[in-house]
Amino acid sequence: MASGTHTRRASRSALSPLALFALSALLVGAAASVPLAVEPRDYELFCYCEARASTPQSIIRLDNNAEILWWCREPSSREQLRQARIDYRDSQLQLLIDWGLIEERGGRLATAFPILQPGQTRALRAAMQRQAISIADQTREDVARLRARLRQAGRERNTFTVLFSYVLDDLVWQRFAAAGALGPRELTLKHPLWDGVLWASYP
């Protein structure tokens, strides 16, 4: 799974996959076609979080953690992992559990963050495309004023970056927080390593 610039884990966030996907759709363009075989490395990771030393992406990139997480989209026992020839060490699984990337219940391991499949990704992008057309019409004048201000500052070439990375990005998360759908993203005894939201999507 590749890292982006940014099954739900209820203890971390009440955001639905649709809400989570809203931001990634702004950052990742739709692919023209979807390969028949999709592997863990094809997915892109997005994280909106506070972290003590490193982010969840750094843990996912270690060893074959991405493969384990991809396989555990459906809750699986250790025996099922062995039968599927998914290499793992107990210390490796414990690391994923400690980081809140996997949950273990009743002897079964389950990935603790949403991994949106190609069909879900296409359906969500199609739905949001209709919303985007409406939003674009409503914000046309505001965007024109922003572009004019950036032109005065000699930064007109950065309009897209400023609009999406600073304005829309910030507004989206503010709306989530105002709706009570986003936690405080605070490092606590319960979440000592990181706190926030994490998801993966393809394409």
Side-chain angles (χ1 to χ4, degrees):
M1 298 181 186
S3 294
T5 54
H6 293 294
T7 7
R8 183 178 64 192
R9 183 173 172 80
S11 62
R12 290 194 179 277
S13 170
L15 290 176
S16 67
L18 177 58
L20 289 171
F21 188 77
L23 182 58
S24 65
L26 299 176
L27 302 174
V28 181
S33 61
V34 177
L36 294 178
V38 179
E39 299 182 6
R41 64 174 178 269
D42 296 323
Y43 284 80
E44 186 153 8
L45 288 163
F46 297 88
C47 186
Y48 182 64
C49 65
E50 293 292 334
R52 182 171 302 279
S54 59
T55 63
Q57 291 102 313
S58 64
I59 302 301
I60 294 172
R61 285 195 295 265
L62 295 175
D63 303 316
N64 67 324
N65 286 346
E67 182 183 23
I68 294 171
L69 290 163
W70 190 79
W71 183 266
C72 289
R73 292 168 299 161
E74 297 294 332
S76 304
S77 65
R78 286 171 168 76
E79 178 59 29
Q80 287 175 312
L81 290 178
R82 285 191 289 268
Q83 291 176 358
R85 297 188 178 184
I86 305 296
D87 293 330
Y88 73 87
R89 296 183 299 276
D90 287 337
S91 59
Q92 189 178 4
L93 296 180
Q94 189 60 54
L95 178 67
L96 293 173
I97 292 171
D98 289 345
W99 271 77
L101 301 174
I102 275 184
E103 293 177 335
E104 184 171 18
R105 295 179 181 175
R108 299 175 73 82
L109 303 162
T111 299
F113 59 90
I115 298 179
L116 303 181
Q117 301 301 294
Q120 294 173 295
T121 302
R122 291 194 300 270
L124 289 171
R125 281 206 173 98
M128 285 185 293
Q129 185 177 27
R130 294 189 291 271
Q131 293 292 325
I133 293 173
S134 173
I135 292 172
D137 290 338
Q138 296 173 30
T139 59
R140 193 176 306 277
E141 292 183 3
D142 291 331
V143 173
R145 285 194 291 270
L146 172 64
R147 186 173 184 178
R149 292 291 297 273
L150 291 173
R151 184 184 303 117
Q152 293 174 0
R155 295 289 185 179
E156 185 177 6
R157 292 177 56 187
N158 303 118
T159 299
F160 183 89
T161 301
V162 172
L163 177 62
F164 282 87
S165 298
Y166 292 96
V167 179
L168 294 181
D169 186 341
D170 194 41
L171 287 174
V172 166
W173 292 114
Q174 286 181 20
R175 291 292 297 273
F176 288 164
L182 186 66
R185 293 184 298 119
E186 294 179 350
L187 299 180
T188 63
L189 291 176
K190 188 175 182 180
H191 303 299
L193 300 174
W194 73 283
D195 192 32
V197 290
L198 170 71
W199 72 100
S201 66
Y202 176 85

